Coordinates of all heavy atoms in Angstrom, one line a residue:
M5 N 0.8 -1.2 0.0 CA 0.0 0.0 0.0 C 0.9 1.2 0.0 O 1.8 1.3 0.8 CB -0.9 0.0 1.2 CG -1.9 1.1 1.3 SD -3.0 0.9 2.6 CE -3.7 2.5 2.7
T6 N 0.6 2.2 -0.9 CA 1.4 3.4 -0.9 C 1.0 4.4 0.1 O -0.2 4.4 0.6 CB 1.3 4.1 -2.3 OG1 -0.1 4.4 -2.5 CG2 1.7 3.1 -3.4
S7 N 1.9 5.3 0.5 CA 1.6 6.3 1.5 C 0.8 7.4 0.9 O 0.8 7.6 -0.3 CB 2.8 6.7 2.2 OG 3.6 7.5 1.3
L8 N 0.2 8.2 1.7 CA -0.6 9.4 1.3 C 0.3 10.4 0.5 O -0.1 10.9 -0.6 CB -1.2 10.1 2.5 CG -2.1 11.3 2.1 CD1 -3.2 11.0 1.2 CD2 -2.6 12.0 3.4
P9 N 1.5 10.7 1.0 CA 2.4 11.7 0.2 C 2.7 11.1 -1.2 O 2.7 11.9 -2.2 CB 3.6 11.8 1.0 CG 3.2 11.5 2.4 CD 2.1 10.5 2.3
E10 N 2.9 9.8 -1.3 CA 3.2 9.2 -2.6 C 2.0 9.3 -3.5 O 2.1 9.6 -4.7 CB 3.6 7.8 -2.5 CG 5.0 7.7 -1.9 CD 5.4 6.2 -1.6 OE1 4.5 5.3 -1.7 OE2 6.5 6.0 -1.2
R11 N 0.8 9.1 -3.0 CA -0.4 9.2 -3.8 C -0.6 10.7 -4.2 O -1.0 10.9 -5.4 CB -1.7 8.8 -3.0 CG -1.8 7.3 -2.9 CD -3.1 7.0 -2.2 NE -3.3 5.6 -2.1 CZ -4.3 5.1 -1.4 NH1 -5.1 5.9 -0.7 NH2 -4.5 3.8 -1.4
L12 N -0.4 11.6 -3.3 CA -0.6 13.0 -3.7 C 0.4 13.4 -4.8 O 0.1 14.2 -5.7 CB -0.5 13.9 -2.5 CG -1.6 13.8 -1.4 CD1 -1.3 14.7 -0.2 CD2 -2.9 14.1 -2.0
A13 N 1.6 12.9 -4.7 CA 2.6 13.2 -5.7 C 2.2 12.7 -7.1 O 2.3 13.4 -8.1 CB 4.0 12.7 -5.3
D14 N 1.6 11.5 -7.1 CA 1.2 10.9 -8.4 C 0.0 11.8 -8.9 O 0.0 12.0 -10.1 CB 0.7 9.5 -8.2 CG 1.8 8.5 -7.9 OD1 3.0 8.9 -8.3 OD2 1.6 7.4 -7.4
I15 N -0.9 12.2 -8.1 CA -2.0 13.0 -8.6 C -1.6 14.4 -9.1 O -2.0 14.8 -10.1 CB -3.1 13.2 -7.5 CG1 -3.7 11.8 -7.2 CG2 -4.1 14.2 -7.8 CD1 -4.6 11.8 -5.9
S16 N -0.7 15.0 -8.3 CA -0.2 16.3 -8.7 C 0.7 16.4 -10.0 O 0.8 17.4 -10.6 CB 0.5 17.0 -7.5 OG 1.7 16.3 -7.2
R17 N 1.3 15.2 -10.3 CA 2.1 15.2 -11.6 C 1.2 15.5 -12.8 O 1.6 16.0 -13.8 CB 2.7 13.8 -11.7 CG 4.0 13.7 -10.9 CD 4.8 12.5 -11.2 NE 5.7 12.2 -10.2 CZ 5.6 11.2 -9.3 NH1 4.6 10.3 -9.4 NH2 6.5 11.0 -8.4
S18 N 0.0 15.0 -12.7 CA -0.9 15.2 -13.9 C -1.6 16.6 -13.9 O -2.3 16.9 -14.8 CB -2.0 14.1 -13.9 OG -2.9 14.3 -12.8
A19 N -1.3 17.4 -12.9 CA -2.0 18.7 -12.8 C -1.1 19.8 -13.4 O -0.7 20.8 -12.8 CB -2.2 19.0 -11.3
G20 N -0.7 19.6 -14.6 CA 0.2 20.5 -15.3 C -0.6 21.2 -16.4 O -1.8 21.4 -16.4
V21 N 0.2 21.6 -17.5 CA -0.3 22.3 -18.6 C -1.4 21.5 -19.3 O -2.4 22.0 -19.8 CB 0.8 22.6 -19.6 CG1 0.3 23.2 -20.9 CG2 1.8 23.6 -18.9
R22 N -1.3 20.2 -19.3 CA -2.3 19.3 -20.0 C -3.7 19.4 -19.3 O -4.7 19.2 -20.0 CB -1.9 17.8 -19.9 CG -0.8 17.5 -20.9 CD -1.4 17.2 -22.2 NE -0.4 16.8 -23.2 CZ -0.6 16.9 -24.5 NH1 -1.7 17.4 -24.9 NH2 0.3 16.5 -25.3
S23 N -3.7 19.8 -18.1 CA -5.0 19.9 -17.4 C -5.7 21.2 -17.8 O -6.9 21.3 -17.9 CB -4.8 20.0 -15.9 OG -4.3 18.7 -15.4
A24 N -4.9 22.3 -18.1 CA -5.4 23.6 -18.4 C -5.7 23.7 -19.9 O -6.6 24.4 -20.3 CB -4.5 24.7 -17.9
Y25 N -4.8 23.1 -20.7 CA -5.0 23.2 -22.2 C -5.3 21.7 -22.7 O -4.4 20.9 -22.5 CB -3.7 23.7 -22.8 CG -3.4 25.1 -22.4 CD1 -2.5 25.4 -21.4 CD2 -4.0 26.2 -23.0 CE1 -2.2 26.7 -21.0 CE2 -3.8 27.5 -22.7 CZ -2.8 27.7 -21.7 OH -2.6 29.0 -21.3
G26 N -6.4 21.6 -23.3 CA -6.7 20.2 -23.9 C -6.0 19.9 -25.2 O -5.2 20.8 -25.7
D27 N -6.2 18.7 -25.6 CA -5.5 18.3 -26.9 C -6.2 19.1 -28.1 O -7.4 19.3 -28.1 CB -5.7 16.8 -27.1 CG -4.9 16.0 -26.1 OD1 -3.9 16.5 -25.7 OD2 -5.4 14.9 -25.7
P28 N -5.4 19.5 -29.0 CA -5.9 20.2 -30.2 C -6.9 19.3 -31.0 O -6.7 18.1 -31.1 CB -4.7 20.5 -31.1 CG -3.5 20.4 -30.1 CD -3.9 19.4 -29.1
V29 N -7.9 20.0 -31.5 CA -9.0 19.3 -32.2 C -9.1 20.0 -33.6 O -9.2 21.2 -33.7 CB -10.3 19.3 -31.5 CG1 -11.4 18.6 -32.3 CG2 -10.2 18.7 -30.1
Q30 N -9.1 19.2 -34.7 CA -9.3 19.7 -36.0 C -10.7 19.6 -36.4 O -11.3 18.5 -36.4 CB -8.4 18.9 -37.0 CG -6.9 19.0 -36.8 CD -6.4 20.3 -37.4 OE1 -7.0 20.9 -38.3 NE2 -5.3 20.8 -37.0
V31 N -11.3 20.8 -36.8 CA -12.7 20.8 -37.3 C -12.7 21.6 -38.6 O -12.5 22.9 -38.5 CB -13.7 21.4 -36.3 CG1 -15.1 21.5 -36.8 CG2 -13.6 20.6 -35.0
D32 N -13.0 21.0 -39.7 CA -13.1 21.7 -41.0 C -11.8 22.6 -41.3 O -12.0 23.8 -41.7 CB -14.3 22.6 -41.1 CG -15.6 21.7 -41.1 OD1 -15.5 20.5 -41.6 OD2 -16.6 22.1 -40.6
G33 N -10.7 22.1 -41.0 CA -9.4 22.9 -41.3 C -9.1 24.0 -40.2 O -8.2 24.7 -40.4
V34 N -9.9 24.0 -39.2 CA -9.6 25.0 -38.1 C -9.2 24.2 -36.9 O -9.8 23.1 -36.5 CB -10.9 25.7 -37.7 CG1 -10.7 26.7 -36.6 CG2 -11.4 26.5 -38.9
T35 N -8.1 24.6 -36.2 CA -7.6 24.0 -35.0 C -8.2 24.6 -33.8 O -8.1 25.9 -33.6 CB -6.1 24.0 -35.0 OG1 -5.6 23.4 -36.2 CG2 -5.6 23.2 -33.8
L36 N -8.8 23.8 -32.9 CA -9.3 24.3 -31.6 C -8.5 23.8 -30.5 O -8.3 22.5 -30.4 CB -10.8 23.9 -31.4 CG -11.8 24.3 -32.5 CD1 -13.1 23.7 -32.3 CD2 -11.9 25.9 -32.5
I37 N -8.1 24.6 -29.5 CA -7.4 24.2 -28.3 C -8.2 24.7 -27.1 O -8.2 25.9 -26.8 CB -5.9 24.7 -28.3 CG1 -5.2 24.3 -29.5 CG2 -5.2 24.3 -27.0 CD1 -3.8 25.0 -29.7
P38 N -8.9 23.7 -26.4 CA -9.7 24.1 -25.3 C -8.8 24.6 -24.1 O -7.7 24.1 -23.9 CB -10.5 22.9 -24.9 CG -9.7 21.8 -25.6 CD -9.0 22.3 -26.7
V39 N -9.3 25.6 -23.4 CA -8.6 26.2 -22.3 C -9.5 26.2 -21.0 O -10.7 26.5 -21.1 CB -8.2 27.7 -22.5 CG1 -7.4 28.3 -21.4 CG2 -7.4 27.8 -23.8
A40 N -8.9 25.8 -19.9 CA -9.7 25.7 -18.7 C -8.9 26.3 -17.5 O -7.7 26.3 -17.5 CB -10.1 24.3 -18.3
L41 N -9.6 26.8 -16.5 CA -9.0 27.2 -15.2 C -9.1 26.0 -14.3 O -10.1 25.5 -14.1 CB -9.8 28.4 -14.6 CG -9.4 28.8 -13.3 CD1 -8.0 29.4 -13.3 CD2 -10.4 29.9 -12.8
V42 N -7.9 25.5 -13.9 CA -7.8 24.3 -13.1 C -7.1 24.6 -11.8 O -6.1 25.2 -11.8 CB -7.0 23.2 -13.9 CG1 -7.0 21.9 -13.1 CG2 -7.7 22.9 -15.3
Y43 N -7.7 24.1 -10.7 CA -7.0 24.2 -9.4 C -7.3 23.0 -8.6 O -8.3 22.3 -8.7 CB -7.4 25.5 -8.7 CG -8.9 25.7 -8.5 CD1 -9.5 25.4 -7.4 CD2 -9.6 26.4 -9.5 CE1 -10.9 25.6 -7.2 CE2 -11.0 26.6 -9.4 CZ -11.6 26.2 -8.2 OH -13.0 26.4 -8.0
Y44 N -6.3 22.7 -7.7 CA -6.4 21.5 -6.8 C -6.0 22.0 -5.4 O -5.3 23.0 -5.2 CB -5.4 20.5 -7.2 CG -5.6 19.9 -8.6 CD1 -5.0 20.5 -9.7 CD2 -6.4 18.9 -8.8 CE1 -5.2 20.0 -11.0 CE2 -6.6 18.3 -10.1 CZ -6.0 18.9 -11.2 OH -6.2 18.4 -12.4
G45 N -6.5 21.2 -4.4 CA -6.1 21.5 -3.0 C -6.1 20.2 -2.3 O -6.9 19.3 -2.5
F46 N -5.2 20.1 -1.4 CA -5.0 18.9 -0.5 C -4.8 19.3 0.9 O -4.2 20.4 1.2 CB -3.8 18.0 -1.0 CG -3.9 17.6 -2.4 CD1 -3.3 18.2 -3.4 CD2 -4.7 16.5 -2.7 CE1 -3.4 17.8 -4.7 CE2 -4.9 16.1 -4.1 CZ -4.2 16.7 -5.0
G47 N -5.2 18.5 1.8 CA -5.0 18.8 3.2 C -4.9 17.5 4.0 O -5.4 16.5 3.6
G48 N -4.4 17.6 5.2 CA -4.4 16.4 6.1 C -4.2 16.9 7.5 O -3.9 18.0 7.8
G49 N -4.5 16.0 8.4 CA -4.4 16.4 9.8 C -4.2 15.1 10.7 O -4.6 14.0 10.3
E50 N -3.8 15.3 11.9 CA -3.6 14.2 12.8 C -3.7 14.8 14.2 O -3.2 15.9 14.5 CB -2.3 13.5 12.6 CG -2.1 12.3 13.4 CD -0.8 11.5 13.0 OE1 -0.3 11.8 11.9 OE2 -0.4 10.7 13.8
G51 N -4.3 14.1 15.1 CA -4.4 14.6 16.5 C -4.4 13.5 17.5 O -4.7 12.3 17.2
D52 N -4.0 13.8 18.7 CA -4.0 12.8 19.8 C -4.3 13.6 21.0 O -3.6 14.4 21.5 CB -2.6 12.2 19.9 CG -2.6 11.0 20.9 OD1 -3.7 10.6 21.3 OD2 -1.5 10.5 21.2
S53 N -5.5 13.3 21.6 CA -5.9 13.9 22.8 C -6.5 12.9 23.8 O -7.2 12.0 23.4 CB -7.0 15.0 22.5 OG -7.5 15.5 23.6
A54 N -6.1 13.0 25.0 CA -6.6 12.1 26.0 C -8.1 12.2 26.2 O -8.8 11.2 26.5 CB -5.9 12.3 27.3
A55 N -8.7 13.4 26.0 CA -10.1 13.7 26.2 C -11.0 13.1 25.1 O -12.0 12.6 25.3 CB -10.4 15.2 26.4
T56 N -10.5 13.3 23.9 CA -11.3 12.9 22.7 C -10.8 11.7 22.0 O -11.4 11.3 21.0 CB -11.4 14.1 21.7 OG1 -10.1 14.4 21.3 CG2 -12.0 15.3 22.3
G57 N -9.7 11.1 22.4 CA -9.2 10.0 21.6 C -8.2 10.5 20.6 O -7.7 11.6 20.6
S58 N -7.9 9.6 19.7 CA -6.9 10.0 18.6 C -7.7 10.0 17.3 O -8.7 9.4 17.1 CB -5.7 9.1 18.5 OG -6.2 7.8 18.2
G59 N -7.1 10.8 16.3 CA -7.7 10.9 15.0 C -6.8 11.3 14.0 O -5.7 11.9 14.3
S60 N -7.1 11.1 12.8 CA -6.3 11.6 11.6 C -7.3 11.7 10.5 O -8.4 11.1 10.5 CB -5.2 10.6 11.3 OG -5.6 9.4 10.9
G61 N -6.8 12.4 9.5 CA -7.7 12.5 8.3 C -6.9 13.2 7.2 O -5.9 13.8 7.4
G62 N -7.5 13.2 6.1 CA -7.0 13.9 4.9 C -8.0 14.0 3.8 O -9.0 13.3 3.8
G63 N -7.7 14.8 2.8 CA -8.6 14.9 1.7 C -8.0 15.8 0.7 O -7.0 16.4 0.8
G64 N -8.7 15.9 -0.4 CA -8.3 16.7 -1.5 C -9.4 16.9 -2.5 O -10.5 16.2 -2.4
G65 N -9.2 17.8 -3.4 CA -10.2 18.0 -4.4 C -9.7 18.9 -5.5 O -8.6 19.5 -5.3
G66 N -10.5 19.1 -6.5 CA -10.1 20.0 -7.6 C -11.3 20.4 -8.4 O -12.4 19.8 -8.2
A67 N -11.0 21.4 -9.2 CA -12.1 21.8 -10.1 C -11.5 22.3 -11.4 O -10.4 22.7 -11.5 CB -12.9 23.0 -9.4
S68 N -12.4 22.3 -12.4 CA -12.0 22.7 -13.7 C -13.1 23.5 -14.3 O -14.2 23.0 -14.3 CB -11.6 21.5 -14.6 OG -11.4 21.9 -15.9
L69 N -12.8 24.7 -14.7 CA -13.8 25.6 -15.3 C -13.4 25.9 -16.7 O -12.4 26.6 -17.0 CB -13.9 26.9 -14.5 CG -14.9 27.9 -14.9 CD1 -16.3 27.4 -14.8 CD2 -14.8 29.2 -14.2
P70 N -14.2 25.5 -17.8 CA -13.8 25.8 -19.1 C -14.0 27.3 -19.4 O -15.1 27.8 -19.3 CB -14.7 24.9 -20.0 CG -15.9 24.7 -19.1 CD -15.4 24.7 -17.7
I71 N -12.9 28.0 -19.8 CA -13.0 29.4 -20.0 C -13.0 29.8 -21.4 O -13.2 31.0 -21.8 CB -11.9 30.2 -19.2 CG1 -10.5 29.7 -19.6 CG2 -12.1 30.0 -17.7 CD1 -9.4 30.6 -19.0
G72 N -12.7 28.9 -22.3 CA -12.7 29.3 -23.8 C -11.8 28.3 -24.6 O -11.5 27.2 -24.2
A73 N -11.5 28.8 -25.8 CA -10.6 28.0 -26.7 C -9.8 28.9 -27.6 O -10.3 30.0 -27.9 CB -11.5 27.1 -27.5
Y74 N -8.6 28.5 -27.9 CA -7.9 29.2 -28.9 C -8.3 28.6 -30.3 O -8.4 27.4 -30.4 CB -6.4 28.9 -28.7 CG -5.8 29.8 -27.6 CD1 -5.5 29.2 -26.4 CD2 -5.6 31.1 -27.8 CE1 -5.0 30.0 -25.3 CE2 -5.1 31.9 -26.7 CZ -4.8 31.4 -25.5 OH -4.3 32.1 -24.5
V75 N -8.6 29.5 -31.2 CA -9.0 29.1 -32.5 C -8.0 29.5 -33.5 O -7.6 30.7 -33.6 CB -10.4 29.7 -32.9 CG1 -10.8 29.3 -34.3 CG2 -11.4 29.3 -31.8
K76 N -7.4 28.5 -34.3 CA -6.4 28.8 -35.2 C -6.9 28.4 -36.6 O -7.2 27.3 -36.9 CB -5.1 28.1 -34.9 CG -4.0 28.4 -35.9 CD -2.7 27.6 -35.6 CE -1.7 27.9 -36.6 NZ -0.8 26.8 -36.8
S77 N -7.0 29.4 -37.5 CA -7.3 29.1 -38.9 C -6.4 29.8 -39.8 O -6.2 31.1 -39.7 CB -8.8 29.6 -39.2 OG -8.9 31.0 -38.9
G78 N -5.7 29.1 -40.6 CA -4.7 29.7 -41.5 C -3.5 30.1 -40.6 O -2.9 29.3 -39.9
T79 N -3.1 31.4 -40.8 CA -2.0 31.9 -40.0 C -2.4 32.8 -38.8 O -1.6 33.3 -38.1 CB -1.1 32.8 -41.0 OG1 -1.9 33.9 -41.5 CG2 -0.5 32.0 -42.1
T80 N -3.7 32.9 -38.6 CA -4.2 33.7 -37.5 C -4.7 32.8 -36.3 O -5.2 31.7 -36.6 CB -5.3 34.7 -37.9 OG1 -6.4 33.9 -38.4 CG2 -4.9 35.6 -39.0
A81 N -4.5 33.3 -35.1 CA -5.0 32.6 -33.9 C -5.7 33.6 -33.1 O -5.3 34.8 -32.9 CB -3.9 31.9 -33.2
R82 N -6.8 33.3 -32.4 CA -7.5 34.2 -31.6 C -8.1 33.4 -30.4 O -8.3 32.1 -30.5 CB -8.6 34.9 -32.3 CG -9.8 34.1 -32.8 CD -10.8 34.9 -33.6 NE -11.9 34.1 -34.0 CZ -12.0 33.1 -34.9 NH1 -10.9 32.9 -35.6 NH2 -13.1 32.5 -35.1
F83 N -8.4 34.0 -29.3 CA -9.1 33.4 -28.2 C -10.5 33.7 -28.2 O -11.0 34.8 -28.3 CB -8.4 33.9 -26.9 CG -9.0 33.3 -25.6 CD1 -8.7 32.0 -25.3 CD2 -9.9 34.0 -24.9 CE1 -9.3 31.4 -24.2 CE2 -10.5 33.4 -23.7 CZ -10.2 32.1 -23.4
E84 N -11.4 32.6 -28.1 CA -12.8 32.7 -28.0 C -13.2 32.4 -26.6 O -13.2 31.2 -26.2 CB -13.5 31.8 -29.0 CG -13.2 32.2 -30.5 CD -14.0 33.4 -30.9 OE1 -15.1 33.7 -30.3 OE2 -13.5 34.1 -31.8
P85 N -13.7 33.3 -25.8 CA -14.1 33.0 -24.5 C -15.4 32.3 -24.4 O -16.3 32.4 -25.2 CB -14.2 34.4 -23.8 CG -14.6 35.3 -24.9 CD -13.9 34.8 -26.1
N86 N -15.5 31.5 -23.3 CA -16.8 30.8 -23.0 C -17.6 31.8 -22.1 O -17.3 31.9 -20.9 CB -16.5 29.5 -22.3 CG -17.7 28.7 -21.9 OD1 -18.9 29.3 -21.9 ND2 -17.6 27.5 -21.5
V87 N -18.5 32.5 -22.7 CA -19.2 33.5 -22.0 C -20.0 33.0 -20.8 O -20.0 33.7 -19.7 CB -20.2 34.3 -23.0 CG1 -21.0 35.3 -22.3 CG2 -19.4 34.8 -24.2
I88 N -20.6 31.9 -20.8 CA -21.3 31.3 -19.7 C -20.4 31.1 -18.5 O -20.7 31.5 -17.4 CB -22.0 30.0 -20.1 CG1 -22.9 30.2 -21.3 CG2 -22.7 29.4 -18.9 CD1 -24.1 31.1 -21.1
S89 N -19.2 30.6 -18.7 CA -18.3 30.3 -17.6 C -17.8 31.7 -17.1 O -17.6 31.8 -15.8 CB -17.1 29.5 -18.1 OG -17.5 28.2 -18.4
L90 N -17.5 32.6 -17.9 CA -17.0 33.9 -17.5 C -18.1 34.6 -16.6 O -17.8 35.3 -15.6 CB -16.6 34.8 -18.6 CG -15.4 34.3 -19.4 CD1 -15.0 35.1 -20.6 CD2 -14.2 34.2 -18.5
L91 N -19.4 34.5 -17.0 CA -20.4 35.1 -16.2 C -20.6 34.3 -14.9 O -20.8 35.0 -13.8 CB -21.8 35.0 -17.0 CG -22.0 36.0 -18.1 CD1 -23.3 35.7 -18.8 CD2 -22.0 37.4 -17.6
A92 N -20.4 33.0 -14.9 CA -20.5 32.3 -13.6 C -19.4 32.7 -12.6 O -19.6 32.7 -11.4 CB -20.4 30.8 -13.9
V93 N -18.2 33.1 -13.2 CA -17.2 33.6 -12.3 C -17.4 35.0 -12.0 O -17.1 35.5 -10.9 CB -15.8 33.3 -13.0 CG1 -14.7 34.0 -12.2 CG2 -15.5 31.8 -13.1
G94 N -17.8 35.8 -13.0 CA -17.9 37.3 -12.8 C -19.0 37.7 -11.9 O -18.8 38.7 -11.2
I95 N -20.1 37.1 -11.9 CA -21.3 37.6 -11.1 C -21.0 37.5 -9.6 O -21.2 38.5 -8.9 CB -22.6 36.8 -11.5 CG1 -23.0 37.2 -12.9 CG2 -23.7 37.0 -10.5 CD1 -24.1 36.4 -13.4
P96 N -20.4 36.5 -9.1 CA -20.1 36.5 -7.6 C -19.0 37.6 -7.3 O -19.0 38.2 -6.3 CB -19.6 35.1 -7.3 CG -20.2 34.2 -8.4 CD -20.3 35.1 -9.6
F97 N -18.1 37.7 -8.2 CA -17.0 38.7 -8.0 C -17.6 40.1 -8.0 O -17.3 40.9 -7.1 CB -16.0 38.6 -9.2 CG -14.9 39.7 -9.1 CD1 -13.9 39.6 -8.2 CD2 -15.0 40.8 -9.9 CE1 -13.0 40.6 -8.1 CE2 -14.1 41.8 -9.9 CZ -13.0 41.7 -8.9
V98 N -18.5 40.4 -8.9 CA -19.2 41.8 -8.9 C -20.0 41.9 -7.6 O -20.0 43.0 -7.0 CB -20.0 41.9 -10.2 CG1 -20.9 43.2 -10.1 CG2 -19.1 42.0 -11.4
W99 N -20.7 40.9 -7.2 CA -21.5 41.0 -5.9 C -20.6 41.3 -4.7 O -20.9 42.2 -4.0 CB -22.2 39.7 -5.7 CG -23.1 39.7 -4.5 CD1 -24.4 40.2 -4.4 CD2 -22.8 39.2 -3.2 NE1 -24.8 40.1 -3.1 CE2 -23.9 39.4 -2.4 CE3 -21.7 38.5 -2.7 CZ2 -23.9 39.0 -1.1 CZ3 -21.7 38.1 -1.4 CH2 -22.8 38.3 -0.6
V100 N -19.5 40.6 -4.6 CA -18.6 40.8 -3.5 C -18.0 42.2 -3.6 O -17.9 43.0 -2.6 CB -17.4 39.8 -3.5 CG1 -16.3 40.2 -2.5 CG2 -18.0 38.4 -3.1
A101 N -17.6 42.7 -4.8 CA -17.1 44.0 -5.0 C -18.1 45.1 -4.6 O -17.8 46.1 -3.9 CB -16.6 44.2 -6.4
G102 N -19.4 44.9 -5.0 CA -20.4 45.8 -4.6 C -20.6 45.9 -3.1 O -20.8 47.0 -2.5
K103 N -20.6 44.8 -2.4 CA -20.8 44.7 -1.0 C -19.6 45.4 -0.3 O -19.8 46.2 0.7 CB -20.8 43.3 -0.5 CG -22.1 42.6 -0.7 CD -23.2 43.2 0.2 CE -24.3 42.2 0.4 NZ -25.3 42.8 1.2
T104 N -18.4 45.2 -0.8 CA -17.2 45.9 -0.2 C -17.3 47.4 -0.4 O -17.0 48.1 0.5 CB -16.0 45.3 -0.9 OG1 -15.9 43.9 -0.7 CG2 -14.7 45.9 -0.3
I105 N -17.7 47.8 -1.6 CA -17.8 49.3 -1.8 C -18.9 49.9 -1.0 O -18.7 51.0 -0.4 CB -18.0 49.6 -3.3 CG1 -16.8 49.2 -4.1 CG2 -18.4 51.0 -3.6 CD1 -17.0 49.2 -5.6
A106 N -20.0 49.2 -0.8 CA -21.1 49.7 0.1 C -20.6 49.8 1.5 O -20.9 50.8 2.2 CB -22.3 48.8 0.0
R107 N -19.8 48.9 2.0 CA -19.3 49.0 3.4 C -18.3 50.1 3.5 O -18.3 50.8 4.5 CB -18.7 47.7 3.8 CG -19.7 46.6 4.1 CD -19.0 45.4 4.6 NE -20.0 44.4 4.9 CZ -19.9 43.5 5.9 NH1 -18.7 43.4 6.5 NH2 -20.8 42.6 6.1
I108 N -17.5 50.3 2.5 CA -16.5 51.4 2.6 C -17.3 52.8 2.6 O -16.9 53.7 3.4 CB -15.5 51.3 1.4 CG1 -14.6 50.1 1.6 CG2 -14.7 52.6 1.3 CD1 -13.8 49.8 0.3
I109 N -18.3 52.9 1.8 CA -19.0 54.2 1.7 C -19.7 54.4 3.1 O -19.7 55.5 3.6 CB -20.0 54.1 0.5 CG1 -19.3 54.2 -0.8 CG2 -21.1 55.3 0.7 CD1 -20.1 54.0 -2.0
R110 N -20.3 53.3 3.6 CA -21.0 53.5 4.9 C -20.0 53.9 6.0 O -20.3 54.7 6.9 CB -21.7 52.1 5.3 CG -23.2 52.2 5.3 CD -23.8 50.9 5.8 NE -24.0 50.1 4.7 CZ -23.7 48.8 4.6 NH1 -23.2 48.2 5.7 NH2 -23.9 48.1 3.6
A111 N -18.8 53.3 6.0 CA -17.8 53.6 7.0 C -17.3 55.1 6.8 O -17.0 55.8 7.8 CB -16.6 52.7 6.9
L112 N -17.2 55.6 5.6 CA -16.8 56.9 5.4 C -17.8 58.0 5.8 O -17.5 59.1 6.1 CB -16.4 57.1 3.9 CG -15.1 56.4 3.4 CD1 -14.9 56.5 1.9 CD2 -13.9 56.9 4.2
K113 N -19.1 57.6 5.7 CA -20.2 58.5 6.1 C -20.2 58.7 7.6 O -20.8 59.8 8.0 CB -21.5 58.0 5.6 CG -21.7 58.1 4.1 CD -23.2 57.7 3.8 CE -23.4 57.9 2.3 NZ -24.8 57.5 1.9
R114 N -19.7 57.8 8.4 CA -19.8 58.0 9.8 C -18.9 59.0 10.3 O -18.0 59.6 10.1 CB -19.4 56.7 10.5 CG -20.5 55.6 10.3 CD -20.2 54.4 11.0 NE -21.1 53.3 10.6 CZ -21.1 52.1 11.0 NH1 -20.1 51.8 11.9 NH2 -21.9 51.2 10.7

């Protein structure tokens, strides 16, 4: 049985450029390269207490958000964003920014 650090090392090796940029796809003479925002996180813990007993744990996770694709036709290349994903990321950001600005204005009025 492999240890947790060895497993995490195996998983994180695949979390490189290949995770963010997909394999090129040819469609009618146009090359598409999908692009995604990819992030991973891992954690672990261990404890020993006479009152609660002993314990340990660990976990990890990751997410991938498709943000668009590079489109190459002929000698030109351009980035085509995935508008739905950008809105999914942008709306919470705008909400948090609005709340922050409102608190700053309220604090300055006092």
Side-chain angles (χ1 to χ4, degrees):
M5 184 172 165
T6 60
S7 68
L8 180 62
E10 290 173 351
R11 282 186 177 172
L12 293 177
D14 289 340
I15 292 169
S16 64
R17 279 190 198 111
S18 67
V21 173
R22 283 275 185 205
S23 298
Y25 298 97
D27 293 327
V29 178
Q30 293 280 337
V31 179
D32 295 330
V34 176
T35 304
L36 303 172
I37 303 172
V39 181
L41 174 65
V42 181
Y43 53 94
Y44 299 92
F46 301 100
E50 187 172 342
D52 188 13
S53 172
T56 60
S58 63
S60 63
S68 176
L69 180 68
I71 59 171
Y74 284 106
V75 179
K76 182 182 178 208
S77 59
T79 59
T80 62
R82 66 185 187 283
F83 180 75
E84 292 287 331
N86 180 345
V87 178
I88 303 297
S89 293
L90 293 177
L91 284 174
V93 171
I95 289 172
F97 176 76
V98 170
W99 182 80
V100 169
K103 285 290 206 181
T104 303
I105 291 170
R107 285 186 178 207
I108 292 171
I109 292 172
R110 246 186 273 133
L112 291 174
K113 284 184 177 179
R114 292 183 188 179

